[in-house]
């Protein structure tokens, strides 16, 4: 069995490392004033990947916390994927210019599919990740504050046909709730698209959840709150590294 890729998340509001519950900004909890120190600690324990989300950017419709991204990229060798507020060509250039190896686009893929497809063609499927944030089977946008009329599976089918190879799929109802990931959902996605590099996000509460995702054949897992709340320790993660 291939080892699952570990991708800790650093979510940013006002330049600080925070977590939300179910995407609700009113549920914000600050875990660190300096996200760079969090990133350095992760790297020191063998972590190689990082998922950075600009929650201010998602709410403002443009990249906001690019200086934090630049610091993390400049002072670690972590491979960073960045999302939140990437709406324009300029936002994309800022993200890549500040050190992101990959950029995740979710809302843009719903509202401006031609732009997202152009980015995919221009930068390639290894650098452009599709964000598929789902609530009750439907894609959510704008930092999860808005719904859409796009159903998850046709949305995925469409973009896989257009060349998407990497997808972050977050079950919003589980995000930050520490109640376990949506394993059946991820199995369904991989059954339909077995070649997809699926990054499962939302609900991870323990190292057992990571083991269950690995057993289900999920290639990659994003997690945050369980780590910051001490339910998962960096030492426990060593079995996957």
């Amino acid at each position: 069995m291939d080892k699952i890729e570990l991708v800790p998340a650093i979510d940013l509001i006002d330049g600080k490392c925070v977590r939300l519950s179910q995407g609700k900004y009113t549920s914000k909890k600050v875990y660190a004033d300096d996200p760079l120190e969090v990133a350095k600690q992760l790297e020191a324990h063998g972590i190689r990947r990082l998922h950075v989300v600009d929650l201010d950017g998602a709410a403002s419709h443009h990249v906001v916390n690019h200086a934090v991204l630049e610091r993390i990229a400049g002072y670690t060798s972590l491979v960073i994927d960045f999302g939140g507020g990437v709406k324009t060509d300029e936002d994309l250039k800022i993200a890549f210019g500040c050190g992101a190896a990959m950029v995740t686009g979710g809302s843009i893929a719903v509202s401006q599919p031609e732009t997202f497809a152009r980015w995919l063609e221009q930068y390639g499927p290894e650098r452009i990740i599709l964000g598929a944030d789902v609530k009750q089977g439907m894609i959510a946008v704008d930092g999860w504050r808005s719904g859409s009329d796009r159903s998850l599976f046709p949305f995925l089918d469409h973009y896989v046909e257009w060349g998407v190879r990497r997808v972050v799929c977050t079950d919003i109802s589980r995000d930050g709730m520490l109640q376990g990931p949506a394993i059946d959902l991820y199995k369904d996605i991989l059954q339909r698209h077995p070649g997809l590099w699926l990054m499962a996000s939302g609900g991870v509460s323990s190292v057992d959840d990571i083991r269950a995702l690995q057993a289900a054949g999920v290639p990659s897992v994003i997690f945050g709150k369980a780590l910051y709340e001490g339910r998962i320790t960096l030492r426990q993660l060593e079995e996957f590294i």
Side-chain angles (χ1 to χ4, degrees):
M1 182 193 304
D2 291 338
K3 288 189 176 181
I4 195 168
E5 177 188 56
L6 301 177
V7 190
I10 291 181
D11 293 356
L12 301 171
I13 291 180
D14 296 331
K16 298 176 181 179
C17 177
V18 308
R19 294 302 286 174
L20 308 181
S21 296
Q22 297 183 330
K24 296 172 184 171
Y25 282 64
T26 53
S27 70
K28 178 186 78 173
K29 183 173 181 179
V30 177
Y31 286 99
D33 288 337
D34 188 356
L36 175 59
E37 291 307 311
V38 177
K40 283 181 173 179
Q41 189 178 13
L42 292 167
E43 185 178 40
H45 282 81
I47 296 293
R48 293 288 169 259
R49 284 275 285 108
L50 193 63
H51 179 68
V52 176
V53 181
D54 183 354
L55 292 174
D56 291 318
S60 304
H61 304 286
H62 62 89
V63 172
V64 173
N65 286 289
H66 52 85
V68 180
L69 167 64
E70 191 166 35
R71 286 187 72 225
I72 295 173
Y75 289 96
T76 74
S77 59
L78 293 163
V79 176
I80 303 167
D81 73 80
F82 178 84
V86 182
K87 304 289 189 186
T88 65
D89 290 356
E90 184 61 26
D91 288 323
L92 192 66
K93 287 174 185 171
I94 288 169
F96 283 137
C98 289
M102 296 168 256
V103 167
T104 300
S107 301
I108 187 82
V110 174
S111 63
Q112 300 179 51
E114 297 86 0
T115 299
F116 185 83
R118 178 165 51 78
W119 291 353
L120 193 62
E121 186 175 357
Q122 184 175 351
Y123 292 95
E126 296 304 310
R127 300 195 75 192
I128 301 296
I129 301 171
L130 177 66
D133 301 326
V134 62
K135 190 170 187 177
Q136 296 176 335
M138 304 300 288
I139 297 295
V141 295
D142 298 332
W144 304 349
R145 295 176 305 165
S146 305
S148 77
D149 60 356
R150 303 297 299 275
S151 181
L152 172 63
F153 285 105
F155 180 74
L156 284 179
D157 295 345
H158 171 75
Y159 276 111
V160 169
E161 199 171 304
W162 275 22
V164 159
R165 293 292 173 266
R166 292 176 177 265
V167 173
V168 175
C169 184
T170 305
D171 183 334
I172 295 168
S173 67
R174 295 171 184 257
D175 189 72
M177 302 307 289
L178 301 171
Q179 294 174 351
I183 290 177
D184 289 341
L185 171 66
Y186 302 133
K187 282 182 175 178
D188 287 346
I189 292 171
L190 290 170
Q191 191 169 9
R192 288 172 74 115
H193 301 291
L196 203 60
W197 189 265
L198 178 64
M199 303 167 72
S201 173
V204 172
S205 65
S206 68
V207 74
D208 285 338
D209 287 335
I210 297 177
R211 291 189 189 109
L213 287 165
Q214 180 173 266
V218 176
S220 183
V221 57
I222 294 171
F223 55 97
K225 193 168 188 177
L227 189 62
Y228 300 124
E229 294 279 348
R231 292 175 177 235
I232 295 174
T233 67
L234 289 168
R235 184 172 293 278
Q236 284 178 313
L237 295 176
E238 290 173 2
E239 73 175 86
F240 304 100
I241 295 172

